[in-house]
Amino acid sequence: MAGGEEVLVPFPGGVSRTHVPPTTEFRSTWLSSSLRSIRERKLLESYLSHLPAEYHEPVLSTVVGVWLPSEIAVAHYEACDRLGLTEQEQVAIGAEVGRHALGTVLSVAVSLAKGAGVTPWTILTRLPSVWQRIWIGGGVAIIKVGPKDARAEIGGWPCARVPYTRVALRGVISGLVGLFSEKAYVRELRPLCTQMTLAYRVSWA
C-alpha cells in the first residue's frame, strides 16, 4: 500500500488482486435484475440477438435465488456491451440493478443510516460480504485513501474484461455510496484493471 493508505477489508485470504481465485457461480437474482432494466428499455429483442443461442434458455427461464455458472454472466454482459448504449445509460442501468438486486442489503443500510455517525464507509466495508452473497469465488478489497476517499478493488472476476461491466459497476457503487452522502463520485482506475480485475476511486461530499 502507498503511504497513508489503509486496507480496511483485504481480499479473501489476504492475497493480492491478481491471485484471487476466479468466480465459478453467481446468484440468478443479479441476472434477473439486469434483465428487468433491459426489458424496461424495450431492448430485450436486440439483447437476445447478441446473446449466443445456447444461453437463451438458461437466461430467460432462470428463477430468482439459484446459482448459475459464471460463464452465463460473462455472456450476458458481452451481449449488453453490444447494445451500443451510451455511458450514461450504462451507469443508470448499473444503479438500477444495484437497487433491485441488493434490496435487502439496501434496506438494512437505510436503517443503519438513521443511526448516529453512519457514513459511506459503512456500506463500503460491507461490500465484500455483499459480494459473497452474489458470487462464489472472486472478492472485493476496500482501501482507505483519505477521509472521504476510498479505492474499491475486485479480483478474480472474468466479467471484468467486458467494457459494459466496467461502466455499469460505477453506477452500482455510486448508488450505494449515495445513500450516505450528498454526492458520490466513482472513477475507474484503468492501470489496475485487467481481464480479471477492476479498481475504482470512490469519493463523496
Side-chain angles (χ1 to χ4, degrees), residues 80-127:
C80 290
D81 191 56
R82 298 186 185 107
L83 289 173
L85 300 174
T86 66
E87 183 174 309
Q88 185 178 10
E89 288 172 324
Q90 294 174 59
V91 171
I93 290 175
E96 291 172 11
V97 171
R99 288 194 298 269
H100 295 156
L102 304 178
T104 302
V105 176
L106 292 179
S107 65
V108 172
V110 170
S111 297
L112 289 172
K114 297 177 181 178
V118 178
T119 72
W121 296 111
T122 305
I123 194 64
L124 284 173
T125 54
R126 289 170 63 91
L127 286 181

Side-chain angles (χ1 to χ4, degrees), residues 1 23 28 30 34 42 45 59 67 71 74 76 84 107 120 127 129 134 142 148 163 167 175 177 186 191 198 205:
M1 294 294 102
T23 59
S28 59
W30 193 256
S34 188
K42 314 298 183 185
E45 184 176 348
V59 166
W67 292 102
E71 66 181 59
V74 175
H76 165 71
S107 65
L127 286 181
S129 61
I134 301 172
I142 302 297
K148 295 184 177 181
V167 177
V177 174
V186 181
L198 290 177

Side-chain angles (χ1 to χ4, degrees), residues 26-30 32 62-68 133:
F26 74 108
R27 280 285 187 185
S28 59
T29 306
W30 193 256
S32 298
T62 188
V63 296
V64 175
V66 300
W67 292 102
L68 299 171
R133 296 185 186 185

Side-chain angles (χ1 to χ4, degrees), residues 29-204:
T29 306
W30 193 256
L31 176 61
S32 298
S33 297
S34 188
L35 285 175
R36 173 178 175 174
S37 291
I38 289 172
R39 286 191 172 97
E40 289 176 347
R41 287 169 171 77
K42 314 298 183 185
L43 293 171
L44 185 61
E45 184 176 348
S46 179
Y47 163 81
L48 291 175
S49 73
H50 296 300
L51 184 71
E54 63 266 31
Y55 294 112
H56 285 198
E57 193 277 332
V59 166
L60 295 176
S61 66
T62 188
V63 296
V64 175
V66 300
W67 292 102
L68 299 171
S70 288
E71 66 181 59
I72 293 179
V74 175
H76 165 71
Y77 284 127
E78 288 177 339
C80 290
D81 191 56
R82 298 186 185 107
L83 289 173
L85 300 174
T86 66
E87 183 174 309
Q88 185 178 10
E89 288 172 324
Q90 294 174 59
V91 171
I93 290 175
E96 291 172 11
V97 171
R99 288 194 298 269
H100 295 156
L102 304 178
T104 302
V105 176
L106 292 179
S107 65
V108 172
V110 170
S111 297
L112 289 172
K114 297 177 181 178
V118 178
T119 72
W121 296 111
T122 305
I123 194 64
L124 284 173
T125 54
R126 289 170 63 91
L127 286 181
S129 61
V130 170
W131 177 274
Q132 293 174 0
R133 296 185 186 185
I134 301 172
W135 300 89
I136 295 178
V140 176
I142 302 297
I143 297 90
K144 185 174 184 179
V145 179
K148 295 184 177 181
D149 231 337
R151 187 168 71 252
E153 299 186 11
I154 298 174
W157 199 33
C159 299
R161 70 173 185 255
V162 185
Y164 171 90
T165 311
R166 297 183 175 192
V167 177
L169 201 59
R170 282 164 40 197
V172 175
I173 297 172
S174 62
L176 294 175
V177 174
L179 287 171
F180 304 101
S181 60
E182 294 295 326
K183 185 68 176 179
Y185 307 90
V186 181
R187 176 170 57 89
E188 183 182 337
L189 299 175
R190 296 193 176 183
L192 301 182
C193 298
T194 69
Q195 296 287 294
M196 294 290 286
T197 66
L198 290 177
Y200 298 90
R201 188 65 171 266
V202 185
S203 56
W204 57 90

